[in-house]
């Protein structure tokens, strides 16, 4: 395994869970990019000299990493708080990205949760992209 492929490969258990998830292929690939931390967030865009600021365009208070867009940003948090039972929220909001994916795909609070979870992540990512790159998006 090369250094490059090890950087882009999430732990094998996450890999197996993502590729066995029975959802649309487009969302499975998106989930894979999340697990590999390969989405072009502002943090990644600054590293590649594609942007001058790594700040989150929504809250301006934090570096825009993947976990920030999908979980920690105030808009993401508001969405998840409406979907997650209050008793499950402390664990939901306090794990690493890899653990968060495993928690929601392997041990979901209800049977249909993985589909809701992946769709929510996709929605947050597409909203972010529209806000950042589409001048006529409100
Ligand atoms: Zn933010």
């Amino acid at each position: 395994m090369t250094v490059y492929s090890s950087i882009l490969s999430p732990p094998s258990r996450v890999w197996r869970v993502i590729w066995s998830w029975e959802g649309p292929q487009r969302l499975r690939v998106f989930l894979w990019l999340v697990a590999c931390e390969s989405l072009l967030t502002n943090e990644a865009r600054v590293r590649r000299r594609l942007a001058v600021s790594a700040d989150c365009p929504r809250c301006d208070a934090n570096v825009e990493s993947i976990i920030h867009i999908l979980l920690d940003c105030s808009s993401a948090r508001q969405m998840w708080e409406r979907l997650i039972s209050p008793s499950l929220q402390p664990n939901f909001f306090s794990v690493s990205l890899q653990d968060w994916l495993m928690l929601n795909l392997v041990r979901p609070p209800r049977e249909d949760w993985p589909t809701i979870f992946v769709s929510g992540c996709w929605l947050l990512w597409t909203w972010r992209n529209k806000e950042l790159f589409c001048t006529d998006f409100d």
Side-chain angles (χ1 to χ4, degrees):
M1 178 180 284
T2 66
V3 171
Y4 182 74
S5 64
S6 68
I7 290 169
L8 295 178
S9 299
S12 62
R13 185 145 189 255
V14 174
W15 182 90
R16 282 193 301 270
V17 167
I18 289 171
W19 293 112
S20 64
W21 178 64
E22 295 179 2
Q25 179 70 5
R26 176 183 217 152
L27 294 184
R28 202 172 14 253
V29 171
F30 166 72
L31 209 51
W32 173 253
L33 293 172
V34 169
C36 294
E37 300 187 49
S38 296
L39 296 179
L40 271 182
T41 62
N42 278 346
E43 181 181 42
R45 293 173 70 226
V46 164
R47 274 197 314 267
R48 295 175 188 186
R49 300 175 195 250
L50 298 172
V52 293
S53 172
D55 293 347
C56 173
R58 285 184 164 161
C59 65
D60 282 330
N62 293 288
V63 169
E64 190 198 50
S65 61
I66 292 173
I67 196 76
H68 179 78
I69 295 170
L70 300 182
L71 181 65
D72 297 332
C73 190
S74 57
S75 53
R77 200 171 179 96
Q78 286 174 10
M79 183 188 83
W80 294 123
E81 284 173 349
R82 289 172 192 231
L83 294 171
I84 300 282
S85 160
S87 65
L88 300 174
Q89 289 182 13
N91 199 26
F92 185 86
F93 288 110
S94 64
V95 294
S96 70
L97 178 62
Q98 300 293 328
D99 291 343
W100 188 61
L101 294 172
M102 292 298 286
L103 175 74
N104 288 287
L105 295 171
V106 176
R107 290 181 294 148
R110 57 184 211 240
E111 191 176 324
D112 61 350
W113 180 250
T115 300
I116 295 168
F117 170 73
V118 176
S119 300
C121 289
W122 173 253
L123 192 64
L124 290 165
W125 176 245
T126 55
W127 277 343
R128 174 264 186 200
N129 288 331
K130 286 178 181 175
E131 283 181 355
L132 196 60
F133 300 114
C134 297
T135 53
D136 59 345
F137 181 75
D138 284 324

